[in-house]
Amino acid sequence: MARTIQSLERAAAVLRLLAGGERRLGLSDIASSIGLAKATTHGLLRTLQQEGFVEQDERSGRYQLGAELLRLGNSYLDVHELRARALVWTDDLARASGESAYLGVLHQQGVLIVHHVFRPDDSRQVLEIGAMQPLHSTALGKVLAAFDPVAHNEAMDGGFQAITARTVTDPAEFDAGLDLVRARGWASDVGETWDGVASIAAPILDRRKMPVGAVGITGAVERMQSDGELGPRLVAAVRDCARSVSRDLGVGRF
């Protein structure tokens, strides 16, 4: 059996205790409930409080769950709601475009793929849910960096590694390119991340009209381009999909 980290187990026990029963508990109640000495329990509570997972009432000295847990919980729910809302539309996008469709969100200075629909043919493909993509070279990453200030900061601090010969490695050039993304409402990647592969992506907005993710398609350059330009039909399909998911999340027309 794999070894566990005792301090994390104890912290989890504290959080579960505060999540059930009475809304606020004192140090003695918490210590006796989880079977630890008061000094040890106080150390756990102090650390959890510093991280925002626990709050202490100034008057009574009792402890309750903190706002940081709510933020993390909302983030979890947002991603799952986003994926649930996008399931049908990304299936339609893959059928309409004939290419693989991806749904991505900002995560740890990159793009986390949370949904992937295979290209609708008989070719062998690998499911990429859970994969990470760069912010600075992918269409999904550029869209997030263009419309989400947090993603923009993450991209600008990311190092701009040269992945292919076409990867933009100059921060100023990358930042200037985001102006075009904002102006037209979609981003592209032609051979910047994978040689011979092109991508198109558009932002997904929540009910506050804030970017919560991006949707896009990826395929061979020869299928995605005609006369050196990405197909307008493909761009329209991606943008329509992004608008549809955004509307399902409570956004009006944009």
Side-chain angles (χ1 to χ4, degrees):
M1 181 180 295
R3 297 179 62 185
T4 58
I5 300 175
Q6 188 179 57
S7 59
L8 291 180
E9 289 182 332
R10 290 172 171 177
V14 171
L15 295 176
R16 291 193 185 98
L17 179 64
L18 292 174
E22 295 183 34
R23 186 162 178 258
R24 293 174 179 169
L25 292 172
L27 174 61
S28 297
D29 296 326
I30 296 171
S32 61
S33 295
I34 63 176
L36 292 176
K38 283 186 180 181
T40 302
T41 304
H42 185 257
L44 285 172
L45 288 167
R46 187 171 63 248
T47 301
L48 290 170
Q49 187 176 359
Q50 289 173 350
E51 296 299 323
F53 297 138
V54 164
E55 296 174 357
Q56 186 178 29
D57 181 71
E58 292 183 0
R59 291 187 299 175
S60 68
R62 290 174 173 265
Y63 295 90
Q64 65 183 33
L65 294 179
E68 182 65 11
L69 280 176
L70 177 61
R71 187 190 70 80
L72 292 176
N74 283 340
S75 174
Y76 173 85
L77 292 173
D78 285 347
V79 169
H80 283 262
E81 181 183 7
L82 172 62
R83 186 176 182 275
R85 299 287 186 180
L87 288 177
V88 172
W89 298 114
T90 48
D91 282 346
D92 289 346
L93 175 60
R95 282 194 297 268
S97 66
E99 304 294 349
S100 299
Y102 295 87
L103 185 69
V105 298
L106 177 67
H107 181 69
Q108 294 181 351
Q109 292 190 316
V111 182
L112 174 67
I113 303 302
V114 297
H115 187 52
H116 173 201
V117 182
F118 283 160
R119 184 172 65 255
D121 60 18
D122 295 328
S123 62
R124 184 175 181 179
Q125 300 172 62
V126 177
L127 190 65
E128 295 186 43
I129 294 175
M132 291 291 293
Q133 294 187 2
L135 281 170
H136 72 290
S137 66
T138 61
L140 291 171
K142 292 178 189 178
V143 158
L144 291 174
F147 292 95
D148 182 348
V150 175
H152 178 265
N153 291 339
E154 297 283 2
M156 297 304 290
D157 293 339
F160 291 91
Q161 176 187 0
I163 303 172
T164 73
R166 298 180 63 107
T167 306
V168 174
T169 58
D170 177 46
E173 182 182 351
F174 173 80
D175 206 24
L178 297 183
D179 290 336
L180 177 60
V181 174
R182 297 184 192 99
R184 66 187 185 182
W186 57 278
S188 63
D189 156 24
V190 181
E192 295 175 49
T193 310
W194 303 278
D195 289 322
V197 176
S199 300
I200 302 167
I204 296 173
L205 309 180
D206 65 10
R207 58 186 58 89
R208 301 163 297 174
K209 295 192 176 180
M210 295 294 293
V212 293
V215 64
I217 57 173
T218 297
V221 170
E222 59 265 25
R223 294 195 306 267
M224 298 276 284
Q225 280 192 332
S226 177
D227 298 324
E229 298 291 334
L230 291 166
R233 179 184 63 84
L234 298 177
V235 173
V238 171
R239 298 193 70 190
D240 286 346
C241 178
R243 291 189 186 102
S244 297
V245 179
S246 297
R247 282 197 298 269
D248 278 1
L249 289 171
V251 175
R253 294 188 63 84
F254 70 96

